[in-house]
């Protein structure tokens, strides 16, 4: 919790102080041309996205400490095998967000700034609920500073941070390349990306359950339970990916009007639907493999394999976006998720590392 809060404060300060340069590098220009990009990706000066983007980023940054603290506390509850408390807390927080969004955005006419404020309030509400429940069950004050054992957390935390940076950089780069193609392309990309990630993350619940059960099984050296758990969640994950895949194919052409009424944006969303739908089972398996490898405490492999995947995916993003534009970005993202699934399967399927018992 200490590490999460400190990292959140550092992140908030960095994003607030460097909001405009970050957005410039993301392809949203103010009075500068976008750095390190090819001519075809240049935006006109004074992009219409710069002002609302800067307002949103600055305000959302204020929620970084609460976000990272809440993620740390959710990890603590998972360690207790208590998945109900984080569920209730996030449900209350997100419902508050849903209610406050239209109030701030439309009643108070604050636009994207109102959306950011609503999200920040919901994040702090989640953190307060989790902290309140945690204080009821745990004495959070350690006997001494040494008992916090920062070195243990920083070692595994560094590996996971490397992985998170690699994962985040790929998606962020994709957004940057989309932004360089104009506000219409960026609007369509962001809507599709949120749908793509939201439906894929449905499998994250299975991944968390697998992580918790497997961690317990590996500690007890109950390899039969580990084998059965891994097999079962992978089967469930694949079928869980098929459900949103079918729903998106038939439902998104009509549901897309809930997000925008701009004809040009809707046209781009429609041509993106095949990418979103086809990759759902692949995405679900990628998240499941993450949970399985975390449950086996295989942090080093998870981090290093993700770096390799990120390097290949970044090259694909640059090459395919320059040759195929908007479609190229989605082709590269599909390759990215496929590689994530492959590296996860490679570790378990070959029975290496902590999975060597599978070869017996």
């Amino acid at each position: 919790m200490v590490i999460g809060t400190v990292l959140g404060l550092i992140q908030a300060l960095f994003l607030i102080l460097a909001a405009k340069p970050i957005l410039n590098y993301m392809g949203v220009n103010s009075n500068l041309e976008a750095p390190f990009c090819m001519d075809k990706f240049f935006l006109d000066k004074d992009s219409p996205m710069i002002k609302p983007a800067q307002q949103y980023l600055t305000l959302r940054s204020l929620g970084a400490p609460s976000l990272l603290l809440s993620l740390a506390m959710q990890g603590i509850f998972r360690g207790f095998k208590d998945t109900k408390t984080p569920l209730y807390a996030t449900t209350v927080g997100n419902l508050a967000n849903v209610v406050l969004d239209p109030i701030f955005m439309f009643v108070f006419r604050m636009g994207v700034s109102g959306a950011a404020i609503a999200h920040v309030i919901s994040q702090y509400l989640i953190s307060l609920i989790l902290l309140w429940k945690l204080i009821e069950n745990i004495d959070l004050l350690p006997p001494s500073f040494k008992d916090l054992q920062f070195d243990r957390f920083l070692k595994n935390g560094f590996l996971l941070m490397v992985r998170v940076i690699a994962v985040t950089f790929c998606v962020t780069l994709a957004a940057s390349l989309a932004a360089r193609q104009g506000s219409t392309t960026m609007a369509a990309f962001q809507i599709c990306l949120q749908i793509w990630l939201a439906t894929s993350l449905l499998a994250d619940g299975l991944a968390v359950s697998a992580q918790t059960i497997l961690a317990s099984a590996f500690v007890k050296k109950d390899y039969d339970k580990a084998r059965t758990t891994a097999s079962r969640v992978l089967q469930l994950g694949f079928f869980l990916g098929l459900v949103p895949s079918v729903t998106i194919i038939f439902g998104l052409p009509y549901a897309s009007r809930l997000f925008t009424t701009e004809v040009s944006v809707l046209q781009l969303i429609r041509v993106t639907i095949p990418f979103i739908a086809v990759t759902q089972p692949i995405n679900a398996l990628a998240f499941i493999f993450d949970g399985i490898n975390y449950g086996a405490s295989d942090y080093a492999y998870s981090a290093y394999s993700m770096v390799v995947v990120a390097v290949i995916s970044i090259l694909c993003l640059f090459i395919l976006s320059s040759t195929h534009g908007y479609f190229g970005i989605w082709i590269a993202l599909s390759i990215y998720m496929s590689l994530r699934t492959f590296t996860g399967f490679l570790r378990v399927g070959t029975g290496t590392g902590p999975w060597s018992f599978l070869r017996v």
Side-chain angles (χ1 to χ4, degrees), residues 223-275:
Y223 296 128
D224 287 336
K225 184 176 182 180
R227 183 187 292 107
T228 303
T229 301
S231 175
R232 183 62 57 84
V233 295
L234 284 169
Q235 293 170 15
L236 291 173
F238 179 76
F239 286 108
L240 186 62
L242 290 177
V243 174
S245 181
V246 174
T247 304
I248 288 168
I249 289 175
F250 294 102
L252 190 55
Y254 306 100
S256 57
R257 290 188 174 275
L258 296 173
F259 299 96
T260 181
T261 56
E262 292 288 336
V263 176
S264 55
V265 177
L266 288 170
Q267 289 174 343
L268 280 178
I269 291 175
R270 291 191 185 98
V271 298
T272 314
I273 289 175
F275 294 104

Side-chain angles (χ1 to χ4, degrees), residues 163 234 279 281-290 292-293 298 301-302 304-306 308-310 312-313 333-352 355:
R163 179 181 174 81
L234 284 169
T279 54
I282 298 172
N283 296 359
L285 288 176
F287 288 117
I288 296 295
F289 275 119
D290 286 347
I292 287 174
N293 285 319
D298 200 4
Y301 177 80
S302 296
Y304 300 141
S305 62
M306 190 63 236
V308 174
V309 169
I312 297 172
S313 301
L333 286 176
S334 301
I335 293 172
Y336 159 66
M337 292 305 298
S338 299
L339 289 173
R340 283 184 62 177
T341 302
F342 174 74
T343 55
F345 172 78
L346 187 66
R347 187 63 155 177
V348 179
T350 57
T352 54
W355 300 98

Side-chain angles (χ1 to χ4, degrees), residues 79-191:
F80 294 151
K81 296 185 180 179
D82 178 3
T83 54
K84 290 183 179 179
T85 301
L87 171 63
Y88 296 150
T90 52
T91 299
V92 171
N94 286 322
L95 284 175
N97 195 357
V98 170
V99 173
L100 292 174
D101 262 334
I103 294 175
F104 285 130
M105 293 177 69
F106 305 119
V107 177
F108 295 153
R109 299 184 180 181
M110 298 176 69
V112 293
S113 296
I117 293 171
H119 194 88
V120 170
I121 292 173
S122 72
Q123 283 296 336
Y124 277 98
L125 179 59
I126 293 171
S127 294
L128 288 173
I129 294 173
L130 290 173
L131 186 61
W132 169 51
K133 297 300 292 184
L134 203 56
I135 290 173
E136 288 185 347
N137 298 288
I138 301 175
D139 183 3
L140 293 178
L141 295 177
S144 68
F145 187 80
K146 291 181 180 180
D147 290 321
L148 291 174
Q149 301 181 38
F150 283 110
D151 55 336
R152 288 182 58 199
F153 293 101
L154 291 175
K155 180 181 178 181
N156 289 330
F158 175 77
L159 291 171
L160 289 175
M161 184 174 69
V162 169
R163 179 181 174 81
V164 169
I165 290 173
V167 170
T168 307
F169 189 82
C170 288
V171 178
T172 303
L173 177 62
S176 175
L177 294 171
R180 297 171 197 277
Q181 297 182 26
S183 55
T184 299
T185 301
M186 185 58 192
F189 176 82
Q190 193 59 31
I191 292 170

